[in-house]
């Protein structure tokens, strides 16, 4: 809960209080409630979220077609506030373009594991035209990596479309890897190993720019 400086605020379990509402931008919701905007809400959440949770929230604010930037997130951080160190650490790893928290988690595992940074949710084309928008893309090594949630295998039409999409990328000369939840969240996550092998096949070498 955010109140104006000097104003009474509730003390209740589960409620984190912040002062300085007059210094925050607010928006009016459809239900008539007023809340802080996405940037200030993200900054206030730094007092209760972990670094990775804050990265996922920041990535969501900078999702595809968003006009927000990492600089916008940095601009709302005061020098002193609860969680400012967490927020500053998160800013170093927030990237524009992730379309879901699982895409963020996948990217973090890969990059922290020593792999080069991918482009996120970019449109890929070849001589024949448009191929598709992909989750993770290493242009130099012509590698596409997609994270598929449960709905991709539960819906027949979606699955058929994904199979045709993968074939189109491979026919155009791209390597294509599909990751699912157990590759990222399982007891022994192997997303890093899968993508690392694909990059090495394509000519990437660790430690070589």
């Amino acid at each position: 809960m955010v109140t104006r400086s000097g104003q009474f605020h509730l003390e209740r379990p589960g409620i984190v209080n912040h002062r300085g509402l007059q210094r925050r931008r607010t928006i009016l919701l459809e239900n008539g409630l007023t809340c802080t905007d996405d940037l200030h809400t993200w900054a206030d959440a730094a007092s209760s979220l972990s670094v990775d949770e804050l990265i996922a929230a920041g990535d969501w604010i900078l999702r595809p077609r968003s006009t927000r930037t990492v600089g916008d997130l940095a601009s709302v951080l005061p020098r002193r506030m609860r969680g400012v160190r967490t927020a500053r650490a998160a800013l170093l790893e927030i990237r524009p373009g992730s379309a879901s928290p699982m895409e963020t988690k996948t990217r973090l595992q890969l990059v922290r594991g020593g792999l080069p940074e991918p482009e996120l949710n970019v449109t890929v084309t070849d001589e024949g035209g448009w191929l598709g928008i992909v989750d993770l893309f290493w242009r130099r090594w012509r590698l596409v990596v997609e994270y598929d949630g449960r709905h991709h295998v539960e819906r027949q039409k979606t699955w058929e479309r994904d199979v045709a999409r993968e074939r189109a990328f491979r026919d155009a000369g791209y390597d294509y890897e599909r990751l699912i939840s157990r590759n990222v969240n399982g007891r022994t996550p192997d997303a890093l190993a899968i993508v690392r092998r694909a990059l090495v096949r394509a000519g990437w070498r660790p430690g070589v720019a």
Side-chain angles (χ1 to χ4, degrees), residues 7 14 21 36 75 83-84 93 132 168-169 175:
Q7 184 176 331
L21 180 61
T36 53
S75 71
V84 67
E93 295 186 273
F169 273 100
D175 197 354

Side-chain angles (χ1 to χ4, degrees), residues 70-196:
V70 174
D72 292 332
L73 291 170
S75 71
V76 299
L77 291 180
R79 291 186 177 181
R80 294 183 180 180
M81 74 169 203
R82 286 174 292 180
V84 67
R85 291 184 178 179
T86 302
R88 287 173 179 165
L91 283 173
L92 298 176
E93 295 186 273
I94 289 173
R95 299 290 183 270
S98 285
S100 73
M102 280 307 303
E103 286 183 25
T104 294
K105 186 171 184 177
T106 302
R107 173 180 65 83
L108 291 176
Q109 283 190 15
L110 300 179
V111 175
R112 288 172 177 175
L115 303 187
E117 288 258 4
E119 297 178 54
L120 307 177
N121 282 283
V122 294
T123 299
V124 180
T125 60
D126 72 345
E127 295 81 359
W130 187 85
L131 288 172
I133 300 174
V134 300
D135 297 339
L136 304 163
F137 184 48
W138 286 264
R139 189 179 304 272
R140 177 177 174 182
W141 296 282
R142 298 179 68 81
L143 173 63
V144 171
V145 172
E146 299 272 59
Y147 177 83
D148 284 351
R150 183 180 295 272
H151 69 281
H152 284 265
V153 297
E154 288 182 343
R155 300 178 183 177
Q156 183 66 24
K157 289 184 178 179
T158 301
W159 177 250
E160 292 173 354
R161 184 190 64 198
D162 288 346
V163 170
R165 169 187 171 94
E166 179 176 346
R167 184 176 298 115
F169 273 100
R170 292 190 181 279
D171 288 346
Y174 291 92
D175 197 354
Y176 192 104
E177 294 289 347
R178 189 185 304 276
L179 302 177
I180 58 177
S181 179
R182 70 175 180 82
N183 299 128
V184 181
N185 289 325
R187 292 184 178 180
T188 56
D190 57 356
L192 176 61
I194 292 170
V195 179
R196 183 185 179 90

